[in-house]
């Protein structure tokens, strides 16, 4: 069957205007957020309902057309774009499935379609005095379907957990077009396998999430934010322990930031106002939130910081006294990722290790990188409270991005990942696998784990049409026979 006949049929399902085929329209669907990965697709198809998703998928299944599900296309691992120029493929954009279906402050649930952005989900929760606690820098673009498919984490995992902890139910369309309605709102349901969790973190390789039930939590009445200078990751770790002992679950975010990371983002935002009277190598952005009065939480936080200053865990602190100041501090943290993208030449390692091993990881991984290229800028930041560090060596000033990446990308990534693995860590804490980390899994997963994963994949997607080439290393790469 010719491509034009496929396009005609898909257009008949979603409407001609929602089946994009011009190269100028396609490029933003076939190129990833960082403009590192791209591939070919015959169309970007934009269904407007679960029924249309099902019809598109059933048609593609019958005709052997690969499907790349796409939400906000903010994946940092090349997960949401085609990776090959061969074969028949469409990008399936979920953006038009953007309705909030219901919001229930009694059951503390939010039922919404997969294409609702994270920012819109958070706003909806606020309208009933609740909080949907997932918070990541891409919230204006990323979508709930993408957040679920990547098991997104972010800056509030320390208190509320990641996407896996925040979902109660999903509706999924399987590769052959079958619709599974798993939109349960129950907190307890021990009736067999927890199928929804199979799709969380599966990066669009098993089914397309079309709707979800999310958990809401009470909205804290008061929040206190501070940027704290500290001597080292080790003193940051001690400070975190002290905060947890004194303030318990009120410790909501604990984000480590190295001096080169802060310098980069201040330059990018042209935020020239000094943060502290003198320069510091390490900073931590801390947020405390609570159901107590604002004055009480401010006092409690201030007290712990003062005690920690006396113990040399805190060198200086900038406590936000207005909402505007808190927003400035959060903007500095959240724009680091984009500052690196704009600068170019950044090797991104999203690792996790047991919390207690974070200082050792940073010390050993930094030494390895600086041994290789002493002028590298050590852009290190991230969710220290979860043991998750974005360890992103950046090209030295004056060295081009192409030169730095072609010379060091592979060697530095493997060296950094090796340190994380030696500390019982993971090479992908929250950004997923996509295409960027796929083949590394051959070295970090047990062969049996990969075999089980492929058996699940084959059971649900026997024709390997859903997001092919992502997350799972090719079965032919395994050393043992599959029989
Ligand atoms: C500035 C910035 C900051 C970020 N910060 C964080 C952070 O703190 N924590 C974090 O975890 N991530 C972070 N990310 C990464 C990214 O935003 C997340 O992975 C996000 O969850 C992806 O959502 P998306 O809608 O953009 O998904 P996409 O990028 O479109 O897709 C991601 C994966 O999910 C699949 N997919 C998308 N929608 C569906 C669906 N409905 N059904 C089935 N599969 C689907 C895709 O095929 C792909 O494999 C950041 C990214 C940027 C650019």
């Amino acid at each position: 069957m010719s491509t034009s006949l496929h396009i005609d049929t898909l257009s008949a399902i979603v409407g001609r205007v929602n089946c994009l085929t011009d190269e100028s329209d396609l490029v933003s669907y076939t190129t990833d957020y960082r403009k590192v990965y791209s591939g070919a697709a015959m169309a970007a198809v934009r269904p407007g309902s679960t029924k249309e998703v099902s019809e598109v998928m059933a048609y593609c299944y019958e005709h052997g057309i690969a499907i790349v599900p796409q939400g906000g296309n903010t994946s940092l691992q090349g997960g949401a774009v085609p990776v090959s120029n061969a074969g028949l493929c469409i990008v399936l954009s979920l953006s038009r499935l953007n309705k909030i279906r219901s919001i229930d402050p009694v059951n503390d649930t939010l039922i919404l379609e997969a294409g609702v952005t994270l920012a819109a989900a958070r706003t909806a929760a606020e309208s009933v005095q609740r909080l949907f606690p997932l918070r990541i820098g891409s919230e204006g673009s990323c979508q709930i379907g993408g957040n679920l498919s990547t098991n997104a984490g972010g800056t509030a995992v320390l208190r509320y957990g990641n996407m896996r902890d925040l979902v109660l139910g999903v509706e999924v369309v399987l590769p052959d077009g079958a619709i599974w309605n798993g939109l349960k709102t129950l907190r307890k349901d021990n009736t067999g396998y927890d199928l929804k969790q199979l799709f969380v973190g599966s990066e669009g390789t098993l089914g397309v999430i079309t709707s979800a039930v999310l958990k809401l939590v009470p909205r804290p009445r008061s929040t206190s934010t501070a940027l704290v200078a500290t001597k080292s990751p080790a003193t940051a770790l001690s400070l975190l322990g002290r905060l947890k002992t004194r303030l318990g679950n009120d410790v909501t975010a604990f984000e480590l930031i190295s001096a080169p990371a802060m310098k980069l983002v201040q330059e990018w935002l042209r935020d020239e106002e000094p943060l502290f009277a003198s320069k510091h190598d390490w900073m931590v952005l801390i947020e405390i939130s609570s159901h107590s009065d604002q004055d009480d939480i401010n006092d409690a936080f201030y007290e712990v910081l003062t005690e920690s200053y006396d113990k040399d865990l805190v060198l200086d602190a900038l406590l936000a006294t207005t909402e505007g100041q808190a927003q400035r501090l959060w903007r500095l943290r959240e724009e680091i990722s984009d500052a690196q993208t704009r600068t170019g030449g950044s090797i991104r390692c999203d690792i996790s290790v047991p919390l207690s091993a974070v200082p050792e990881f940073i010390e050993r991984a930094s030494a390895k990188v600086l041994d290789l290229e002493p002028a590298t800028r050590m852009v290190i930041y991230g969710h220290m409270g979860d043991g998750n560090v974005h360890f992103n060596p950046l090209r030295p000033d004056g060295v081009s991005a192409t030169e730095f990446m072609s010379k060091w990308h592979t060697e530095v990534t493997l060296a950094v990942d090796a340190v994380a693995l030696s500390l019982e860590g993971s090479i992908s804490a929250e950004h997923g696998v996509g295409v960027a980390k796929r083949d590394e899994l051959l070295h970090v997963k047990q062969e049996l784990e990969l075999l089980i994963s492929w058996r699940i994949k084959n059971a649900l997607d026997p024709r390997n049409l859903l997001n092919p080439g992502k997350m799972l290393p090719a079965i032919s790469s395994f050393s043992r026979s599959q029989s």
Side-chain angles (χ1 to χ4, degrees):
M1 205 183 236
S2 73
T3 303
S4 64
L5 275 176
H6 293 315
I7 300 293
D8 286 348
T9 312
L10 294 169
S11 298
I13 299 170
V14 298
R16 187 68 193 90
V17 72
N18 291 309
C19 186
L20 309 174
T21 52
D22 282 353
E23 200 43 50
S24 56
D25 292 329
L26 274 179
V27 67
S28 62
Y29 293 90
T30 53
T31 310
D32 83 313
Y33 178 83
R34 290 197 291 140
K35 303 195 172 30
V36 174
Y37 300 98
S38 65
M42 63 178 169
V45 180
R46 298 162 31 90
S49 66
T50 301
K51 184 168 165 284
E52 287 183 7
V53 173
S54 162
E55 286 172 13
V56 167
M57 291 178 68
Y59 180 81
C60 290
Y61 189 75
E62 192 186 333
H63 294 277
I65 300 169
I67 295 175
V68 179
Q70 190 176 91
N73 195 12
T74 64
S75 164
L76 299 173
Q77 309 286 37
V81 294
V83 284
S84 144
N85 289 319
L88 288 174
C89 173
I90 62 163
V91 172
L92 186 76
S93 165
L94 278 302
S95 298
R96 289 181 63 228
L97 269 73
N98 59 4
K99 289 179 205 61
I100 306 272
R101 289 195 188 159
S102 70
I103 177 158
D104 180 345
V106 176
N107 287 307
D108 280 331
T109 51
L110 172 59
I111 306 183
L112 73 189
E113 294 180 344
V116 173
T117 63
L118 174 57
R122 285 173 58 90
T123 304
E126 277 171 26
S127 71
V128 292
Q129 298 304 310
R130 293 291 181 268
L131 174 72
F132 178 62
L134 188 82
R135 187 168 62 185
I136 62 182
S138 55
E139 68 167 34
S141 309
C142 66
Q143 300 173 6
I144 294 302
N147 299 150
L148 284 164
S149 301
T150 56
N151 184 26
T155 53
V157 172
L158 178 61
R159 175 150 175 191
Y160 298 106
N162 50 24
M163 210 53 187
R164 216 177 264 294
D165 303 303
L166 300 173
V167 61
L168 292 171
V170 288
E171 176 187 76
V172 175
V173 181
L174 298 179
D176 63 1
I179 301 171
W180 172 51
N181 183 339
L183 291 174
K184 292 273 181 76
T185 57
L186 302 174
R187 312 263 156 173
K188 289 188 161 185
D189 178 15
N190 278 352
T191 53
Y193 298 132
D194 190 350
L195 292 182
K196 66 176 180 294
Q197 293 293 358
L198 196 55
F199 296 95
V200 178
S202 69
E203 301 191 22
T205 60
L206 298 179
V208 171
I209 298 171
T210 45
S211 295
V213 184
L214 304 179
K215 275 185 207 169
L216 303 180
V217 297
R219 201 171 160 209
R221 284 177 56 212
S222 51
T223 300
S224 201
T225 308
L227 185 74
V228 167
T230 190
K231 201 161 77 190
S232 65
T235 52
L237 184 63
S238 303
L239 174 62
L240 175 60
R242 193 165 260 271
L243 283 163
K244 287 200 286 198
T245 305
R246 293 293 302 275
L247 304 175
N249 277 342
D250 290 353
V251 185
T252 310
F254 193 88
E255 298 284 310
L256 185 72
I257 306 174
S258 71
M262 187 58 92
K263 181 167 183 286
L264 185 77
V265 74
Q266 284 200 280
E267 282 167 5
W268 155 243
L269 294 175
R270 299 205 170 89
D271 178 335
E272 279 151 18
E273 198 185 321
L275 293 158
F276 299 108
S278 50
K279 292 196 168 151
H280 298 285
D281 290 341
W282 293 97
M283 284 145 272
V284 188
L285 179 60
I286 304 168
E287 185 181 282
I288 310 294
S289 63
S290 141
H291 297 286
S292 319
D293 289 342
Q294 187 67 50
D295 287 347
D296 293 343
I297 179 181
N298 285 350
D299 290 350
F301 191 20
Y302 185 78
E303 204 175 293
V304 184
L305 290 178
T306 311
E307 287 167 14
S308 304
Y309 180 82
D310 293 339
K311 303 267 178 213
D312 285 340
L313 302 179
V314 168
L315 301 174
D316 204 346
L318 182 60
L319 196 56
T321 51
T322 63
E323 181 59 26
Q325 281 177 359
Q327 277 172 6
R328 175 192 176 211
L329 296 180
W330 270 110
R331 186 149 184 254
L332 287 169
R333 163 62 190 88
E334 284 174 346
E335 292 281 339
I336 299 173
S337 179
D338 272 351
Q340 289 170 105
T341 303
R342 306 298 159 187
T343 308
S346 165
I347 302 172
R348 299 197 182 217
C349 305
D350 166 40
I351 68 88
S352 63
V353 291
L355 182 53
S356 55
V358 169
E360 183 181 346
F361 164 78
I362 291 176
E363 192 184 329
R364 284 173 49 197
S366 300
K368 290 231 174 203
V369 174
L370 293 172
D371 259 4
L372 293 169
E373 176 52 273
T376 306
R377 289 174 277 179
M378 300 308 289
V379 174
I380 301 168
Y381 63 99
H383 320 302
M384 181 166 181
D386 318 322
N388 175 194
V389 181
H390 299 318
F391 188 92
N392 299 345
L394 181 68
R395 68 181 167 82
D397 265 332
V399 174
S400 80
T402 321
E403 187 188 339
F404 182 68
M405 295 305 266
S406 60
K407 190 165 174 201
W408 294 120
H409 184 263
T410 307
E411 199 171 341
V412 163
T413 305
L414 293 178
V416 171
D417 287 352
V419 177
L421 292 168
S422 75
L423 294 166
E424 306 292 327
S426 167
I427 61 162
S428 183
E430 61 173 9
H431 292 163
V433 178
V435 65
K437 295 271 169 190
R438 182 195 61 198
D439 291 337
E440 243 190 291
L441 293 198
L442 285 169
H443 312 291
V444 303
K445 294 294 238 189
Q446 296 168 39
E447 189 169 290
L448 186 57
E449 286 176 306
L450 293 173
L451 279 175
I452 294 170
S453 302
W454 267 109
R455 281 180 196 153
I456 294 169
K457 168 79 172 165
N458 288 334
L460 291 177
D461 183 18
R463 302 189 71 185
N464 191 18
L465 292 175
L466 213 46
N467 219 1
K470 307 290 173 50
M471 202 180 84
L472 294 170
I475 203 150
S476 55
S477 329
F478 304 1
S479 54
R480 254 195 268 141
S481 136
Q482 307 307 307
S483 56

